[in-house]
Amino acid sequence: MEEGHPRENAMLLQGKSGIVFGVANKRSIAYACAQSASAQGATLILTYQNERVEKTVKELADSLPNEAIALPCDVSTEAGLDSAFEKIVDHMPNPHFGVHSIAFAPREELEGRFCDTTREGWNTALDVSAYSFTSLARRMEPLMTEGGSLVTMTYFGSEKVMPHYNVMGPAKAALEASVRYLAADMGPNNIRINAVSAGPIRTLAASGVSGFSQFLDIAREKAPLRRNTSRDEVGDATVFLVSDLSRGVTGTTLWVDCGYHIMAL
Ligand code: NAD
């Protein structure tokens, strides 16, 4: 092993700090990422959308093994992001990584036919679920002075048609394309950008997709590993992507879906 190799450190994120955007409750993939990162020694800021979940997310931050605080961050406006970043910079001027685990589409867009997507529903879904990652990456770039790693969460519905996933399909496709463009822009500053494509997991966001239980049943039956993906598996894969172990990896999507995406039938 070369001298100074990251595996010499027992904890993968010892001495690192990062921001996990999009914790709503204990089922959130963002919280699983926070748990995995904290267990590996990271100091964290967890962000939540609004005061409705503030108390819960503050309690979740307190429950982590390492130092963590919770701050509000609504990504639907530039003003919301600006004010969130003012607070973030006060607490963590030079983060090493960020995890974007945020998506939204109006519930009525996640049932019926895709072709009935409204202009307003499209704009909201693409804005909150895809553009917010670029806007957030642009704000993170100057802070990550030692280089860094940003990860976002995507889903197979970007590539294949999932019943009722509808407008979220194009939103995730836009998000995955943004990962590649951001990686090309920010690579010269040693900032890596990747996505994790998680298998279906029961969460608040998932419950908005009509017939979501079917996604779980079919994935369990067809996936090579013959089970559903767990949130801690997504958290651990995300830790790999924000740690130095993945220092040669950028612009890619890491599938954490028990292999489901390779199956044709
Ligand atoms: P979740 O409901 O726990 O998380 C979604 C988060 O987005 C919530 O914290 C919510 O508050 C936040 N959010 C929505 N609008 C926002 C806004 N305007 N400003 C700030 N935050 C906002 O559900 P989750 O399943 O953990 O979703 C996290 C990510 O994982 C999403 O990108 C989702 O598409 C992705 N994902 C989920 C699954 C799954 O099956 N659950 C699979 C693959 C990918």
Side-chain angles (χ1 to χ4, degrees), residues 22-24 28-29 49 73-76 101-104 128 153-155 172 198-201 203-206 212:
V23 184
S28 294
I29 290 173
Q49 184 181 357
C73 178
D74 187 323
V75 302
S76 60
S101 187
I102 288 175
F104 177 76
V128 173
M153 296 297 151
T154 190
Y155 182 59
K172 291 302 192 192
I201 296 173
T203 62
L204 192 62
F212 181 77

Side-chain angles (χ1 to χ4, degrees), residues 150-185:
L150 299 177
V151 175
T152 186
M153 296 297 151
T154 190
Y155 182 59
F156 196 24
S158 63
E159 291 184 14
K160 302 286 178 194
V161 175
M162 300 283 174
H164 305 139
Y165 198 61
N166 293 357
V167 68
M168 281 307 300
K172 291 302 192 192
L175 180 66
E176 289 168 22
S178 307
V179 163
R180 294 184 283 273
Y181 278 87
L182 290 168
D185 276 352

Side-chain angles (χ1 to χ4, degrees), residues 34 42 61 99 111 129 156 171 241 257:
V99 178
E111 57 191 23
S129 316
F156 196 24
L241 286 175
D257 67 341

Side-chain angles (χ1 to χ4, degrees), residues 78 81-82 85 131-144 150 182 186 193:
E78 293 302 289
L81 274 161
D82 284 341
F85 268 82
Y131 180 70
S132 66
F133 185 52
T134 293
S135 195
L136 188 153
R138 192 170 58 245
R139 287 174 170 82
M140 290 289 284
E141 185 183 26
L143 309 180
M144 297 194 293
L150 299 177
L182 290 168
M186 298 186 179
I193 317 280

